[in-house]
Amino acid sequence: MSVQFKIAGMFFLLLGLAACGSGAKLPKLPAEAKVLAFGDSLTFGTGADSAQSYPSVLQGIIGREVINAGVPGETSAEGLARLPAVLDEHQPALLILCHGANDFLRGLSEQQAANNIRAMVKLAKDRGIGVVLIAVPKFGLMFSPPEFYAKIAEEFSIPFDTGTLSRIIRDNSLKSDAVHPNGSGYRMLAEAVAERLKVAGAI
């Protein structure tokens, strides 16, 4: 089998997985519903004012309370350990999960990151909470996300955003430093998530 054929096959596999995730549906969010944005510094909003974080901007777009549960520097293992208590505290109708960046930056096991993120998705789904997954790119030449995000989205039939953070990280005008968006970058992410919620039927 030629290298070109293998590459083409992988491309169409990922395209199919992306289509599955992006076509997944969510229940309509009531006006009083809480949305939990859970993750690390990309959720917290490092590199911009708190009002410019993507959860803050998203709240203004969708008209529902969006709780910023981002912890800078957190790994996916630490996120998995923290998530149950945060879900207990806020009782959200929807979880927006954006995790994995610190695993990649620290050279931790990609398989373990996948396992942790899968476990977080399952934890929320088992509680009847809707989930939207944001794919995080590995920082390097291509700034592309690992394949496991698409596979997890397919496994659980959840909406996911696979390319927005990659586009932001490739564009210096949308970044505050090498790895964090600025206010414009976070707004771009919030708008992409809002569009994903609209397509999924949540808003």
Side-chain angles (χ1 to χ4, degrees):
M1 183 183 292
S2 70
V3 172
Q4 291 87 349
F5 186 84
K6 288 181 179 178
I7 292 173
M10 183 60 67
F11 172 79
F12 286 112
L13 171 63
L14 292 176
L15 188 63
L17 291 174
C20 177
S22 63
K25 297 299 181 183
L26 292 167
K28 183 81 171 180
L29 286 172
E32 69 277 10
K34 293 181 180 180
V35 176
L36 181 68
F38 190 87
D40 49 37
S41 58
L42 295 173
T43 298
F44 180 80
T46 298
D49 295 336
S50 60
Q52 295 178 306
S53 69
Y54 100 75
S56 293
V57 176
L58 180 63
Q59 177 170 286
I61 297 173
I62 68 173
R64 275 77 167 178
E65 180 182 2
V66 180
I67 299 157
N68 188 331
V71 173
E74 184 175 75
T75 64
S76 63
E78 292 166 336
L80 176 58
R82 181 171 65 97
L83 182 58
V86 179
L87 294 178
D88 288 341
E89 177 184 359
H90 296 291
Q91 298 292 312
L94 178 68
L95 170 69
I96 303 174
L97 181 60
C98 179
H99 233 304
N102 290 303
D103 295 67
F104 306 150
L105 287 171
R106 298 178 192 180
L108 302 179
S109 165
E110 186 175 307
Q111 183 59 56
Q112 191 59 55
N115 292 342
N116 292 334
I117 292 169
R118 180 179 290 105
M120 285 189 264
V121 172
K122 185 177 187 301
L123 180 63
K125 294 279 284 183
D126 285 350
R127 295 186 181 207
I129 300 168
V131 181
V132 174
L133 183 61
I134 299 175
V136 179
K138 294 186 73 172
F139 299 95
L141 182 62
M142 299 302 294
F143 291 113
S144 58
E147 298 171 24
F148 71 72
Y149 288 102
K151 292 179 179 178
I152 292 171
E154 179 193 34
E155 178 182 346
F156 290 96
S157 298
I158 58 174
F160 79 110
D161 182 284
T162 189
T164 302
L165 274 175
S166 295
R167 291 194 294 274
I168 292 168
I169 298 302
R170 291 188 193 111
D171 188 341
N172 288 332
S173 71
L174 297 173
K175 294 192 296 184
S176 60
D177 57 33
V179 297
H180 295 105
N182 56 24
S184 297
Y186 285 124
R187 172 162 289 279
M188 180 176 172
L189 179 58
E191 290 172 346
V193 172
E195 180 61 25
R196 183 64 60 216
L197 293 178
K198 182 178 178 181
V199 169
I203 58 172

